[in-house]
Amino acid sequence: MPELPEVEVVRRGVSRWAAGRTVTDVEVLDARSTRRHDGGPVAFADALTGMTLAAPERRGKYLWIPLTGPEGSGTLAVVVHLGMSGQLLVNAPSDPDPKHLRIRIGLHAEQGEEPRELRFVDQRIFGGMFLAPLIPATDHPEQSLPAPVAHVARDPLDPWFEPEAVHQRLVRRRTGLKRALLDQTLVSGIGNIYADEALWQARLHFDRPTGTLDRTDTVGVLEAVTAVMAKALEQGGTSFDSLYVNVNGESGYFSRSLKVYGLAGQPCQRCGGPIVREKFMNRSSHFCPRCQRRQ
DNA sequence: AAGTAATCCTGATCGC
DNA sequence: TGCGATCAGGATTACT
């Protein structure tokens, strides 16, 4: 389940292996993967073909690659969301098609090098790709982002991330803390796994009413989020030596450091009490009832 | 207006 | 062995 660190790993991989290349052809193998593109798969393929990929950018779990072309530069981007099971791969065209390949983007051979393919693979089709115009960010107009991503808040690894502003908005909410952490318009990049991990780190209960949090609580949990994400990035974003960009939520390349997620019944590493799993928002919350009291 | 539920998806796993 | 039910959950949409 790709969250911010996994998406950042993909961004770096795309930057290393696909940026600067020109799109030769586009094949949409499953139209559902371009459902968010106005005009559908054919319009998507037509508009993307012939464009050159600039350096990829990211906010939260959204990744986008600005496009340059004959009809204007930096006004359009191809936006990617991995959803639950999405992967972006850079392959040699001769590599066999993986199962669940949804979109194939052919990349022109560059200065003596071989052609490549940018591949979108997605088993469950919650993710997708679409083209969107780039617009100035409202808070920092020198920065641009795709229009459909404008509602997404800055993530904890963003240089312009403001914990104080998040605190102010968070305490005004009348909801539970984890609900708020998962709300991408409040703070982005956090999914179920890192929410549980950060809450354990900060010793806060997932359903703690946001109105009862003080500045120390909020900053504490945001710092925990940042720390957990930075650690995951350290472990997952190591090497791009080979021509293969991958993110796979199931691979669990940082699962070794998880403290609560998926560990129901296991002893808490802090107090030894059993980790509990509870139903929450059609999914589950993992926490230590002894370390993480509601009040 | 803001908070919450429904919806989209496939494959692994489970109980009978 | 088979088969329906359950679970995994991010983000948008449609409600209340």
Side-chain angles (χ1 to χ4, degrees), chain A residues 211-236:
Chain A
T212 68
L213 295 165
D214 61 26
R215 187 167 279 99
T216 311
D217 294 324
T218 312
V219 171
V221 75
L222 291 175
E223 279 176 356
V225 167
T226 310
V228 172
M229 284 181 171
K231 192 176 174 188
L233 203 44
E234 214 174 285
Q235 294 179 25

PDB file of all heavy atoms in Angstrom, chain A residues 211-236:
ATOM      1  N   GLY A 211     -10.274  18.009  19.138  1.00  0.00           N
ATOM      2  CA  GLY A 211     -10.457  19.230  19.914  1.00  0.00           C
ATOM      3  C   GLY A 211      -9.742  19.229  21.250  1.00  0.00           C
ATOM      4  O   GLY A 211      -9.530  20.279  21.848  1.00  0.00           O
ATOM      5  N   THR A 212      -9.349  18.041  21.739  1.00  0.00           N
ATOM      6  CA  THR A 212      -8.696  17.957  23.049  1.00  0.00           C
ATOM      7  C   THR A 212      -7.168  17.981  22.944  1.00  0.00           C
ATOM      8  O   THR A 212      -6.476  17.864  23.953  1.00  0.00           O
ATOM      9  CB  THR A 212      -9.106  16.657  23.773  1.00  0.00           C
ATOM     10  OG1 THR A 212      -8.548  15.535  23.060  1.00  0.00           O
ATOM     11  CG2 THR A 212     -10.616  16.503  23.821  1.00  0.00           C
ATOM     12  N   LEU A 213      -6.657  18.102  21.725  1.00  0.00           N
ATOM     13  CA  LEU A 213      -5.199  18.059  21.533  1.00  0.00           C
ATOM     14  C   LEU A 213      -4.578  19.432  21.776  1.00  0.00           C
ATOM     15  O   LEU A 213      -5.119  20.451  21.339  1.00  0.00           O
ATOM     16  CB  LEU A 213      -4.872  17.598  20.114  1.00  0.00           C
ATOM     17  CG  LEU A 213      -5.287  16.168  19.757  1.00  0.00           C
ATOM     18  CD1 LEU A 213      -5.237  15.979  18.249  1.00  0.00           C
ATOM     19  CD2 LEU A 213      -4.403  15.147  20.447  1.00  0.00           C
ATOM     20  N   ASP A 214      -3.449  19.444  22.468  1.00  0.00           N
ATOM     21  CA  ASP A 214      -2.712  20.702  22.579  1.00  0.00           C
ATOM     22  C   ASP A 214      -1.565  20.690  21.562  1.00  0.00           C
ATOM     23  O   ASP A 214      -1.343  19.708  20.859  1.00  0.00           O
ATOM     24  CB  ASP A 214      -2.209  20.959  24.005  1.00  0.00           C
ATOM     25  CG  ASP A 214      -1.243  19.876  24.478  1.00  0.00           C
ATOM     26  OD1 ASP A 214      -0.585  19.241  23.629  1.00  0.00           O
ATOM     27  OD2 ASP A 214      -1.142  19.663  25.697  1.00  0.00           O
ATOM     28  N   ARG A 215      -0.861  21.798  21.501  1.00  0.00           N
ATOM     29  CA  ARG A 215       0.191  21.976  20.501  1.00  0.00           C
ATOM     30  C   ARG A 215       1.268  20.882  20.602  1.00  0.00           C
ATOM     31  O   ARG A 215       1.782  20.396  19.604  1.00  0.00           O
ATOM     32  CB  ARG A 215       0.814  23.371  20.659  1.00  0.00           C
ATOM     33  CG  ARG A 215       1.794  23.748  19.578  1.00  0.00           C
ATOM     34  CD  ARG A 215       2.111  25.222  19.609  1.00  0.00           C
ATOM     35  NE  ARG A 215       1.093  26.038  18.955  1.00  0.00           N
ATOM     36  CZ  ARG A 215       0.129  26.698  19.581  1.00  0.00           C
ATOM     37  NH1 ARG A 215       0.027  26.646  20.882  1.00  0.00           N
ATOM     38  NH2 ARG A 215      -0.730  27.414  18.890  1.00  0.00           N
ATOM     39  N   THR A 216       1.567  20.494  21.831  1.00  0.00           N
ATOM     40  CA  THR A 216       2.572  19.448  22.046  1.00  0.00           C
ATOM     41  C   THR A 216       2.127  18.123  21.421  1.00  0.00           C
ATOM     42  O   THR A 216       2.922  17.422  20.800  1.00  0.00           O
ATOM     43  CB  THR A 216       2.813  19.252  23.552  1.00  0.00           C
ATOM     44  OG1 THR A 216       3.030  20.536  24.151  1.00  0.00           O
ATOM     45  CG2 THR A 216       4.016  18.367  23.798  1.00  0.00           C
ATOM     46  N   ASP A 217       0.852  17.802  21.603  1.00  0.00           N
ATOM     47  CA  ASP A 217       0.312  16.570  21.024  1.00  0.00           C
ATOM     48  C   ASP A 217       0.432  16.581  19.499  1.00  0.00           C
ATOM     49  O   ASP A 217       0.935  15.641  18.888  1.00  0.00           O
ATOM     50  CB  ASP A 217      -1.170  16.410  21.399  1.00  0.00           C
ATOM     51  CG  ASP A 217      -1.367  16.198  22.894  1.00  0.00           C
ATOM     52  OD1 ASP A 217      -0.522  15.526  23.518  1.00  0.00           O
ATOM     53  OD2 ASP A 217      -2.374  16.712  23.422  1.00  0.00           O
ATOM     54  N   THR A 218      -0.074  17.649  18.901  1.00  0.00           N
ATOM     55  CA  THR A 218      -0.096  17.739  17.439  1.00  0.00           C
ATOM     56  C   THR A 218       1.317  17.716  16.856  1.00  0.00           C
ATOM     57  O   THR A 218       1.606  16.940  15.945  1.00  0.00           O
ATOM     58  CB  THR A 218      -0.795  19.034  16.972  1.00  0.00           C
ATOM     59  OG1 THR A 218      -2.028  19.164  17.671  1.00  0.00           O
ATOM     60  CG2 THR A 218      -1.052  19.001  15.492  1.00  0.00           C
ATOM     61  N   VAL A 219       2.165  18.565  17.402  1.00  0.00           N
ATOM     62  CA  VAL A 219       3.539  18.598  16.908  1.00  0.00           C
ATOM     63  C   VAL A 219       4.214  17.245  17.127  1.00  0.00           C
ATOM     64  O   VAL A 219       4.946  16.750  16.272  1.00  0.00           O
ATOM     65  CB  VAL A 219       4.337  19.741  17.593  1.00  0.00           C
ATOM     66  CG1 VAL A 219       5.810  19.645  17.250  1.00  0.00           C
ATOM     67  CG2 VAL A 219       3.787  21.092  17.158  1.00  0.00           C
ATOM     68  N   GLY A 220       3.901  16.619  18.263  1.00  0.00           N
ATOM     69  CA  GLY A 220       4.470  15.312  18.563  1.00  0.00           C
ATOM     70  C   GLY A 220       4.096  14.267  17.530  1.00  0.00           C
ATOM     71  O   GLY A 220       4.962  13.527  17.039  1.00  0.00           O
ATOM     72  N   VAL A 221       2.841  14.225  17.180  1.00  0.00           N
ATOM     73  CA  VAL A 221       2.406  13.197  16.222  1.00  0.00           C
ATOM     74  C   VAL A 221       2.915  13.526  14.811  1.00  0.00           C
ATOM     75  O   VAL A 221       3.269  12.629  14.049  1.00  0.00           O
ATOM     76  CB  VAL A 221       0.870  12.984  16.256  1.00  0.00           C
ATOM     77  CG1 VAL A 221       0.116  14.101  15.592  1.00  0.00           C
ATOM     78  CG2 VAL A 221       0.511  11.652  15.616  1.00  0.00           C
ATOM     79  N   LEU A 222       2.991  14.809  14.488  1.00  0.00           N
ATOM     80  CA  LEU A 222       3.524  15.184  13.170  1.00  0.00           C
ATOM     81  C   LEU A 222       5.032  14.881  13.079  1.00  0.00           C
ATOM     82  O   LEU A 222       5.518  14.459  12.036  1.00  0.00           O
ATOM     83  CB  LEU A 222       3.256  16.660  12.878  1.00  0.00           C
ATOM     84  CG  LEU A 222       1.788  17.028  12.635  1.00  0.00           C
ATOM     85  CD1 LEU A 222       1.628  18.529  12.475  1.00  0.00           C
ATOM     86  CD2 LEU A 222       1.238  16.294  11.415  1.00  0.00           C
ATOM     87  N   GLU A 223       5.727  15.086  14.184  1.00  0.00           N
ATOM     88  CA  GLU A 223       7.154  14.729  14.200  1.00  0.00           C
ATOM     89  C   GLU A 223       7.332  13.222  14.084  1.00  0.00           C
ATOM     90  O   GLU A 223       8.257  12.750  13.436  1.00  0.00           O
ATOM     91  CB  GLU A 223       7.820  15.259  15.477  1.00  0.00           C
ATOM     92  CG  GLU A 223       8.181  16.735  15.379  1.00  0.00           C
ATOM     93  CD  GLU A 223       8.760  17.286  16.683  1.00  0.00           C
ATOM     94  OE1 GLU A 223       8.805  16.545  17.690  1.00  0.00           O
ATOM     95  OE2 GLU A 223       9.150  18.469  16.680  1.00  0.00           O
ATOM     96  N   ALA A 224       6.422  12.476  14.714  1.00  0.00           N
ATOM     97  CA  ALA A 224       6.471  11.017  14.621  1.00  0.00           C
ATOM     98  C   ALA A 224       6.224  10.568  13.180  1.00  0.00           C
ATOM     99  O   ALA A 224       6.920   9.686  12.668  1.00  0.00           O
ATOM    100  CB  ALA A 224       5.445  10.396  15.556  1.00  0.00           C
ATOM    101  N   VAL A 225       5.259  11.203  12.524  1.00  0.00           N
ATOM    102  CA  VAL A 225       4.986  10.892  11.119  1.00  0.00           C
ATOM    103  C   VAL A 225       6.249  11.134  10.280  1.00  0.00           C
ATOM    104  O   VAL A 225       6.657  10.283   9.487  1.00  0.00           O
ATOM    105  CB  VAL A 225       3.821  11.756  10.569  1.00  0.00           C
ATOM    106  CG1 VAL A 225       3.754  11.665   9.059  1.00  0.00           C
ATOM    107  CG2 VAL A 225       2.504  11.333  11.180  1.00  0.00           C
ATOM    108  N   THR A 226       6.849  12.289  10.494  1.00  0.00           N
ATOM    109  CA  THR A 226       8.042  12.650   9.736  1.00  0.00           C
ATOM    110  C   THR A 226       9.162  11.644   9.965  1.00  0.00           C
ATOM    111  O   THR A 226       9.825  11.200   9.019  1.00  0.00           O
ATOM    112  CB  THR A 226       8.517  14.064  10.141  1.00  0.00           C
ATOM    113  OG1 THR A 226       7.408  14.957  10.077  1.00  0.00           O
ATOM    114  CG2 THR A 226       9.619  14.544   9.216  1.00  0.00           C
ATOM    115  N   ALA A 227       9.350  11.261  11.227  1.00  0.00           N
ATOM    116  CA  ALA A 227      10.425  10.328  11.565  1.00  0.00           C
ATOM    117  C   ALA A 227      10.197   8.956  10.937  1.00  0.00           C
ATOM    118  O   ALA A 227      11.109   8.361  10.361  1.00  0.00           O
ATOM    119  CB  ALA A 227      10.534  10.200  13.085  1.00  0.00           C
ATOM    120  N   VAL A 228       8.958   8.476  11.028  1.00  0.00           N
ATOM    121  CA  VAL A 228       8.641   7.160  10.472  1.00  0.00           C
ATOM    122  C   VAL A 228       8.814   7.163   8.949  1.00  0.00           C
ATOM    123  O   VAL A 228       9.352   6.223   8.362  1.00  0.00           O
ATOM    124  CB  VAL A 228       7.201   6.744  10.854  1.00  0.00           C
ATOM    125  CG1 VAL A 228       6.778   5.490  10.125  1.00  0.00           C
ATOM    126  CG2 VAL A 228       7.100   6.520  12.354  1.00  0.00           C
ATOM    127  N   MET A 229       8.379   8.240   8.319  1.00  0.00           N
ATOM    128  CA  MET A 229       8.514   8.341   6.860  1.00  0.00           C
ATOM    129  C   MET A 229       9.976   8.453   6.445  1.00  0.00           C
ATOM    130  O   MET A 229      10.406   7.832   5.468  1.00  0.00           O
ATOM    131  CB  MET A 229       7.748   9.555   6.352  1.00  0.00           C
ATOM    132  CG  MET A 229       6.252   9.344   6.322  1.00  0.00           C
ATOM    133  SD  MET A 229       5.424  10.799   5.675  1.00  0.00           S
ATOM    134  CE  MET A 229       3.758  10.161   5.517  1.00  0.00           C
ATOM    135  N   ALA A 230      10.742   9.253   7.178  1.00  0.00           N
ATOM    136  CA  ALA A 230      12.156   9.427   6.845  1.00  0.00           C
ATOM    137  C   ALA A 230      12.902   8.099   6.973  1.00  0.00           C
ATOM    138  O   ALA A 230      13.741   7.760   6.148  1.00  0.00           O
ATOM    139  CB  ALA A 230      12.787  10.479   7.756  1.00  0.00           C
ATOM    140  N   LYS A 231      12.540   7.338   7.986  1.00  0.00           N
ATOM    141  CA  LYS A 231      13.184   6.041   8.199  1.00  0.00           C
ATOM    142  C   LYS A 231      12.838   5.068   7.072  1.00  0.00           C
ATOM    143  O   LYS A 231      13.695   4.341   6.567  1.00  0.00           O
ATOM    144  CB  LYS A 231      12.741   5.465   9.549  1.00  0.00           C
ATOM    145  CG  LYS A 231      13.558   4.282  10.003  1.00  0.00           C
ATOM    146  CD  LYS A 231      13.118   3.836  11.393  1.00  0.00           C
ATOM    147  CE  LYS A 231      13.839   2.559  11.809  1.00  0.00           C
ATOM    148  NZ  LYS A 231      13.287   1.998  13.062  1.00  0.00           N
ATOM    149  N   ALA A 232      11.558   5.087   6.691  1.00  0.00           N
ATOM    150  CA  ALA A 232      11.123   4.211   5.606  1.00  0.00           C
ATOM    151  C   ALA A 232      11.840   4.569   4.313  1.00  0.00           C
ATOM    152  O   ALA A 232      12.260   3.700   3.549  1.00  0.00           O
ATOM    153  CB  ALA A 232       9.613   4.327   5.423  1.00  0.00           C
ATOM    154  N   LEU A 233      11.993   5.862   4.087  1.00  0.00           N
ATOM    155  CA  LEU A 233      12.645   6.348   2.875  1.00  0.00           C
ATOM    156  C   LEU A 233      14.105   5.921   2.849  1.00  0.00           C
ATOM    157  O   LEU A 233      14.644   5.545   1.805  1.00  0.00           O
ATOM    158  CB  LEU A 233      12.532   7.873   2.848  1.00  0.00           C
ATOM    159  CG  LEU A 233      12.621   8.601   1.529  1.00  0.00           C
ATOM    160  CD1 LEU A 233      11.793   7.914   0.467  1.00  0.00           C
ATOM    161  CD2 LEU A 233      12.161  10.028   1.725  1.00  0.00           C
ATOM    162  N   GLU A 234      14.716   5.963   4.015  1.00  0.00           N
ATOM    163  CA  GLU A 234      16.105   5.547   4.162  1.00  0.00           C
ATOM    164  C   GLU A 234      16.272   4.089   3.743  1.00  0.00           C
ATOM    165  O   GLU A 234      17.226   3.724   3.082  1.00  0.00           O
ATOM    166  CB  GLU A 234      16.471   5.684   5.641  1.00  0.00           C
ATOM    167  CG  GLU A 234      17.898   6.084   5.931  1.00  0.00           C
ATOM    168  CD  GLU A 234      18.061   6.307   7.418  1.00  0.00           C
ATOM    169  OE1 GLU A 234      17.597   7.359   7.917  1.00  0.00           O
ATOM    170  OE2 GLU A 234      18.598   5.410   8.079  1.00  0.00           O
ATOM    171  N   GLN A 235      15.310   3.279   4.151  1.00  0.00           N
ATOM    172  CA  GLN A 235      15.407   1.846   3.866  1.00  0.00           C
ATOM    173  C   GLN A 235      14.978   1.501   2.450  1.00  0.00           C
ATOM    174  O   GLN A 235      15.534   0.594   1.840  1.00  0.00           O
ATOM    175  CB  GLN A 235      14.519   1.055   4.841  1.00  0.00           C
ATOM    176  CG  GLN A 235      14.996   1.136   6.265  1.00  0.00           C
ATOM    177  CD  GLN A 235      14.071   0.363   7.197  1.00  0.00           C
ATOM    178  OE1 GLN A 235      13.385  -0.569   6.795  1.00  0.00           O
ATOM    179  NE2 GLN A 235      14.054   0.769   8.454  1.00  0.00           N
ATOM    180  N   GLY A 236      13.969   2.234   1.941  1.00  0.00           N
ATOM    181  CA  GLY A 236      13.417   1.873   0.642  1.00  0.00           C
ATOM    182  C   GLY A 236      14.042   2.605  -0.520  1.00  0.00           C
ATOM    183  O   GLY A 236      14.011   2.132  -1.643  1.00  0.00           O
TER     184      GLY A 236
END
